């Protein structure tokens, strides 16, 4: 029997209940079942459908704009950190457990809104999806995009991934390239007959050391780029001048650069080297000039921040929606055994989004 | 039944016969048996003993000096290059096959001398040994050195490894060091929180590119040093600033430098880097000022050359014997499928050594 979830009650208790239903990627059925049942029983004003281990719910109030709110139900593997545990008291209370940060706190906020915001100023679509922690190809949001694209349409997307309760907008692109040097093999006892491919990487490494990464401001968000070697390999054996070496470099680039511009930039930085792009995900512009986004920023209070990592925000942005991250928890704790979230952030996120969706003033 | 070897006949025919008895390292028994039988039947003036798959033979004429002549019986694995094949005619004839270069041509020369130089001007010790192509710890010459050291005593050692029929004297030392850089791991999206250990290798690679290797003349031999990166590795995954990287460097140094001096030199070149010595073999001085060595150089005619690779010559040198390489075949063809030797070099080496050992003029 699926767990019973109280959607209208305290979102912290709801987070605790969600954390206590294990949902490692690929095994989200029990949690999806509990979410679907609870929505059907406690949010009768919503149209609800199921797609595999994803649950979709929406209003059809004919509002002039629609906000899509999304959270994934799955977690990374459990690491001795279940069931949930609560420590501290009052404003200092902390909820510990697998998924508490990434991202059942956000899911609880969304479920609470689904049940309690019955007269929103925007139409609402809630998307609880599966397999976000796996390869992009298995991502449940990608499946919904292909099979049920109308369920992702709207004027603003809010992805409740952990952001310390701050609006994080857009995200940087990421590109991995390989620089491959070639030489000529020879016995090291006759090194002058060879050409050392590893030595030839020296120049590229110096360029990386000297590289000055850009900082770009877009819609009030600061994006800080980065260019880092992430792998190097070369060598045949201890007495051979190596004829091949490979340096892998990861470029994180602000969303004002397209994939083509990012690649062109790297080709300039590494002029003279053979360069191959081996991995690429474009960034997402913050899109905070959209009216609904401005309302959300106002409701949240503080200044928006640039999202640094790549999240499904970029998927919405690629589909043309302004999209932000806004959720409880410190993203640097995600995927750690010590994953934990201050309960005050869960309640604050629920309050901010509730005000925003109800049209209330900050 | 062991093959029958005609020691006093043409050393090229003898080489052919030796090549046609397979003797990959560890399986030299049949060849050792044939060598021992032939020596007992055709070189009755020698004292002969067996040590595993090694065969030792010597004169005891009471000469004032003793020359040790050594060759290994084993080969690298057969690579579709048996049985032996002879192509061309006369002075251009070529003998092809596994071991033709490394070093059954040299073995044939030694066996021919053992049977034919019955009144040498020096006492002679012949050492046919096993397992030279394996790790140093299994080397048959090392076993003889430990168990039968008196069989390696003398005033000059001639190792008949391929040297293109030229006297190669001494050998360079070889040292492999690892430079290890450390940094601080971070997500590449927040690269400024990390320190990239791969970037830190850039300076070491530039020093390698700019390094001017010494050329040193000793006893008329030119030693050309080399300093080469032979391996590089580092990297955690595509989105992580790596906190460790390792560069392996091979230094080939002239025999005027001790192990300590070589290490000190590398510590200067790579000042600022954490350096560990992971492999070391000291070189061997040419020792050509010894009287017997001078006679051999005179018999060979041309100028002596510096030996570049590390051979068992260094083992004799470490034991205090002047030691040279002198044998038929191009050492760069050793261990190749296309291994082949000009037969004229086999005959010339036999002639030179025969004159030298008989006290004849060049």
């Amino acid at each position: 029997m699926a767990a019973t979830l109280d959607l209208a009650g305290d979102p912290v208790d709801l987070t605790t209940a969600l954390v206590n239903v294990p949902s490692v990627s690929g095994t989200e059925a029990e949690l999806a079942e509990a979410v679907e049942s609870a929505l059907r029983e406690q949010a009768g004003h919503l149209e609800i459908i199921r797609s595999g281990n994803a649950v979709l719910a929406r209003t059809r109030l004919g509002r002039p704009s629609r906000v899509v709110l999304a959270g994934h139900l799955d977690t990374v593997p459990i690491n001795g950190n279940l069931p949930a545990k609560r420590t501290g008291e009052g404003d200092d209370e902390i909820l510990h457990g697998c998924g508490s940060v990434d991202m059942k706190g956000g899911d609880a906020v969304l479920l609470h809104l689904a049940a309690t915001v019955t007269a929103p100023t925007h139409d609402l679509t809630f998307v609880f999806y599966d397999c976000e922690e796996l390869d992009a190809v298995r991502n449940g949001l990608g499946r919904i995009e292909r099979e049920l694209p109308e369920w992702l349409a709207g004027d603003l997307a809010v992805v409740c991934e952990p952001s310390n309760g701050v609006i994080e907008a857009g995200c940087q692109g990421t590109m991995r390239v390989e620089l491959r040097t070639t030489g000529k093999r020879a016995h090291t006892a006759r090194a002058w007959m060879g050409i050392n491919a590893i030595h030839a990487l020296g120049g590229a490494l110096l360029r990386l050391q000297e590289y000055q990464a850009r900082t770009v401001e877009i819609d009030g968000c600061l994006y800080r780029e980065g260019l880092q070697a992430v792998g190097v390999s070369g060598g045949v054996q201890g007495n051979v001048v190596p004829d091949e070496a490979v340096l892998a470099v990861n470029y994180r680039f602000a969303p004002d650069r397209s994939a083509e511009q990012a690649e062109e930039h790297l080709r300039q930085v590494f002029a003279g080297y053979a360069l191959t792009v081996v991995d690429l995900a474009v960034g997402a512009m913050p899109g905070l000039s959209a009216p609904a986004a401005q309302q959300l920023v106002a409701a949240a209070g503080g200044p928006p921040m640039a999202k640094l990592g790549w999240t499904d925000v970029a998927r919405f942005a690629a589909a043309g929606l302004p999209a932000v991250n806004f959720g409880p928890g410190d993203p640097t704790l995600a995927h750690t055994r010590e994953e934990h979230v201050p309960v005050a952030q869960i309640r604050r996120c629920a309050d901010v989004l509730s005000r925003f969706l109800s049209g209330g003033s900050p």
Side-chain angles (χ1 to χ4, degrees), chain A residues 23-211:
Chain A
S23 59
V24 176
S25 306
T27 67
E28 304 92 338
E30 183 185 352
L31 184 58
E33 183 65 29
V35 165
E36 184 184 0
S37 301
L39 286 171
R40 292 202 185 278
E41 288 163 20
Q42 302 168 49
H45 61 293
L46 299 175
E47 175 191 0
I48 296 164
I49 66 165
R50 181 80 177 261
S51 159
N53 285 337
V55 182
L56 311 173
R58 65 181 169 192
T59 61
R60 304 197 77 159
L61 303 169
R63 301 283 192 265
S65 59
R66 177 174 290 277
V67 176
V68 182
L69 300 115
H72 62 82
L73 295 176
D74 60 320
T75 69
V76 294
I78 298 157
N79 190 7
N81 49 4
L82 278 189
K85 203 171 57 177
R86 288 165 75 159
T87 59
E89 303 223 339
D91 286 353
D92 296 328
E93 190 179 359
I94 305 284
L95 171 61
H96 307 256
C98 182
S100 57
V101 167
D102 187 11
M103 56 172 283
K104 293 183 175 177
D107 293 330
V109 169
L110 295 181
L111 287 166
H112 182 75
L113 297 170
T116 57
V117 182
T118 50
T121 53
H122 309 271
D123 264 309
L124 305 181
T125 304
F126 295 94
V127 180
F128 301 95
Y129 63 104
D130 55 307
C131 292
E132 192 268 351
E133 302 290 6
L134 301 181
D135 289 348
V137 68
R138 294 188 58 185
N139 187 305
L141 197 60
R143 184 185 71 246
I144 295 165
E145 195 176 16
R146 290 188 300 274
E147 297 175 4
L148 301 163
E150 72 281 9
W151 280 84
L152 302 187
D155 302 280
L156 173 69
V158 180
V159 178
C160 291
E161 288 268 5
S163 69
N164 275 315
V166 171
I167 300 277
E168 292 186 338
C171 72
Q172 300 213 100
T174 179
M175 175 177 283
R176 193 165 81 250
V177 300
E178 284 183 355
L179 308 183
R180 196 170 290 270
T181 54
T182 53
K184 190 180 160 203
R185 227 179 253 209
H187 197 293
T188 53
R190 298 177 190 84
W192 60 89
M193 297 176 72
I195 299 168
N196 195 310
I198 295 177
H199 295 188
L201 288 179
L205 292 180
L206 277 213
R207 291 180 215 176
L208 282 166
Q209 279 184 307
E210 292 163 2
Y211 186 78

